[in-house]
């Protein structure tokens, strides 16, 4: 097996007395797409900035392609490209001029300027000053800068911030194309569905501690298990509630006309039929995905149990 593209060895990050990231061991394979998930302040950006050499570990090591990023950042940065969450660009330059400037700094072919302008839907605005751009257009320009060079590792901090749905779709298509070429992608995201579409594995950081990374199918099953089904009835009886439980549903709430439950996806329809067999007249039903805070609290509880 080939060496991992990214390896964190007992990595820690402190800011004065604040422990932003507790000791963390992590390996990300070459060609893998890895999503860092978690609430604001959880430590995601601290990990990404250390990964690209923007700050040194307080303890431990960060390696990219076997290169110690803190010791030889220039060598490591030759192999990667980074797009920060907040893009700050010279507003007096046009989009084309900005990209040409960064192409020279990154030693990227100048012909890539026109390519990324097209890829990120900026061709029609190429000669407008970036100071006139909206937040979404600035985000696309920042992403275009990150795509100027072909690299082994692409690191993105909340890349979908300020992007509209077509912009997110275009970015996803580009990332899938790069992944197919063998590029390793590490990104943070607050969009659960988007992360599951792009990533091979996800790691959740809460208060600087990471839950054991999971393969996306495993994580997706955990999410779908917590999807709530809400059934609206003409009326609700104790027999119907008992039928929900007997059929494999976990009742999470009920009132005079509604019952909410969670169940494995393959059992949901069976539960609804059990309600009908118990005398329930189903008028409508809805599925509600779990909220992000609930998932975070669950993983936080898992970490407390493991300590």
């Amino acid at each position: 097996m080939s060496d991992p593209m990214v390896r964190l060895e007992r990595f820690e990050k402190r800011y004065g007395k604040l422990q932003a990231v507790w000791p963390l061991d992590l390996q990300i394979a070459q060609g893998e797409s890895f999503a860092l998930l978690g609430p604001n302040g959880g430590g995601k950006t601290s990990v990404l900035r250390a990964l690209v050499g923007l700050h040194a570990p307080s303890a431990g090591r960060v390696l990219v392609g076997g290169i110690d990023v803190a010791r030889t950042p220039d060598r490591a940065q030759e192999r990667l490209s980074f797009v920060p969450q907040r893009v700050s660009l010279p507003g007096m330059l046009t989009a084309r001029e900005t990209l040409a400037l960064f192409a020279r700094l990154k030693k990227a072919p100048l012909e890539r300027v026109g390519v990324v302008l097209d890829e990120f839907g900026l061709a029609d605005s190429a000669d407008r000053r970036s100071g006139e751009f909206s937040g979404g257009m600035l985000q696309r320009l920042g992403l275009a800068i990150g795509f100027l060079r072909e690299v082994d590792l692409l690191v993105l901090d909340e890349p979908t911030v300020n992007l509209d749905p077509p912009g997110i779709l275009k970015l996803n298509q580009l990332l899938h194309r790069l992944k197919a070429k063998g590029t390793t992608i590490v990104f943070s995201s607050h969009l659960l569905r988007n992360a599951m579409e792009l990533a091979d594995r996800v790691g959740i950081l809460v208060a600087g501690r990471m839950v054991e990374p999971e393969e996306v199918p495993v994580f997706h099953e955990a999410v779908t298990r917590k999807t709530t089904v809400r059934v609206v009835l003409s009326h609700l009886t104790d027999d119907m509630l008992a039928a929900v439980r007997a059929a494999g549903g976990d009742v999470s709430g009920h009132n005079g006309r509604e019952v909410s439950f969670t169940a494995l996806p393959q059992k949901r329809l069976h539960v609804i039929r059990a309600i009908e067999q118990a005398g329930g007249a189903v008028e409508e039903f809805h599925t509600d995905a779990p909220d992000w805070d609930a998932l975070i609290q669950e993983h936080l509880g898992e970490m407390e149990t493991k300590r």
Side-chain angles (χ1 to χ4, degrees), residues 17-282:
K17 295 182 179 179
L18 173 65
Q19 185 86 24
V21 182
W22 295 86
L24 171 62
D25 291 300
L26 177 66
Q27 292 190 11
I28 300 173
Q30 295 182 26
E32 183 179 9
S33 179
F34 188 91
L36 277 174
L37 307 178
N40 291 334
K44 303 188 301 296
T45 296
S46 292
V47 171
L48 296 184
R49 289 177 66 85
L51 180 56
V52 301
L54 292 180
H55 59 211
S58 302
R61 294 200 303 167
V62 178
L63 298 100
V64 170
I67 301 167
D68 189 315
V69 178
R71 290 187 176 182
T72 53
D74 291 343
R75 284 186 60 207
Q77 287 167 1
E78 288 175 359
R79 303 193 62 178
L80 62 85
S81 186
F82 175 54
V83 180
Q85 182 175 350
R86 292 178 178 83
V87 179
S88 180
L89 298 170
M92 295 300 292
L93 297 183
T94 66
R96 192 189 309 277
E97 290 168 341
T98 299
L99 287 166
L101 171 63
F102 277 93
R104 294 186 180 94
L105 291 173
K106 292 173 172 284
K107 300 179 182 178
L110 283 176
E111 55 265 28
R112 284 287 300 166
V113 170
V115 173
V116 296
L117 281 168
D118 284 333
E119 286 180 332
F120 286 95
L122 293 169
D124 291 342
S125 303
D127 298 310
R128 284 179 55 193
R129 293 178 178 177
S130 65
E132 303 170 0
F133 281 9
S134 66
M137 292 178 70
L138 280 175
Q139 183 70 9
R140 281 188 275 153
L141 182 55
L143 287 164
I145 292 169
F147 281 69
L148 281 168
R149 286 192 304 138
E150 289 190 0
V151 292
D152 298 319
L153 172 63
L154 181 61
V155 181
L156 308 167
D157 192 1
E158 294 283 0
T160 57
V161 169
N162 291 324
L163 289 185
D164 56 11
I168 293 174
L169 177 61
K170 183 63 176 177
L171 174 62
N172 288 354
Q173 291 171 341
L174 292 171
L175 291 175
H176 280 299
R177 193 185 311 163
L178 286 176
K179 187 175 183 302
K181 291 181 177 180
T183 303
T184 305
I185 301 168
V186 181
F187 66 100
S188 64
S189 180
H190 64 286
L191 298 178
L192 194 58
R193 178 177 296 178
N194 190 59
M196 289 193 291
E197 288 175 356
L198 287 174
D200 298 308
R201 285 190 302 154
V202 298
I204 296 182
L205 273 169
V206 182
R209 299 181 188 272
M210 182 177 286
V211 179
E212 185 70 24
E214 295 176 323
E215 301 287 336
V216 161
V218 176
F219 183 71
H220 183 264
E221 182 179 343
V223 172
T224 55
R225 277 175 178 269
K226 303 204 174 300
T227 295
T228 300
V229 180
R230 181 167 52 88
V231 182
V232 180
L233 304 156
S234 59
H235 67 285
L236 179 65
T237 67
D238 290 341
D239 287 343
M240 295 173 199
L241 292 174
V244 171
R245 298 184 178 99
D250 183 9
V251 175
S252 55
H254 62 88
N255 57 34
R257 292 190 58 212
E258 294 186 8
V259 57
S260 298
F261 66 88
T262 56
L264 292 174
Q266 61 269 29
K267 289 189 175 182
R268 291 172 190 161
L269 187 56
H270 180 61
V271 173
I272 292 173
R273 286 174 176 164
I275 294 172
E276 291 177 325
Q277 290 171 359
V282 177

Side-chain angles (χ1 to χ4, degrees), residues 9-23:
E9 299 177 347
R10 306 302 291 168
F11 166 75
E12 293 184 50
K13 187 60 188 178
R14 294 185 295 272
Y15 302 99
K17 295 182 179 179
L18 173 65
Q19 185 86 24
V21 182
W22 295 86

Side-chain angles (χ1 to χ4, degrees), residues 285-302:
F285 67 90
H286 309 270
T287 56
D288 301 316
D291 64 59
W292 180 242
D293 287 340
L295 284 173
I296 291 298
Q297 288 302 317
E298 177 191 348
H299 282 77
L300 187 60
E302 289 178 4

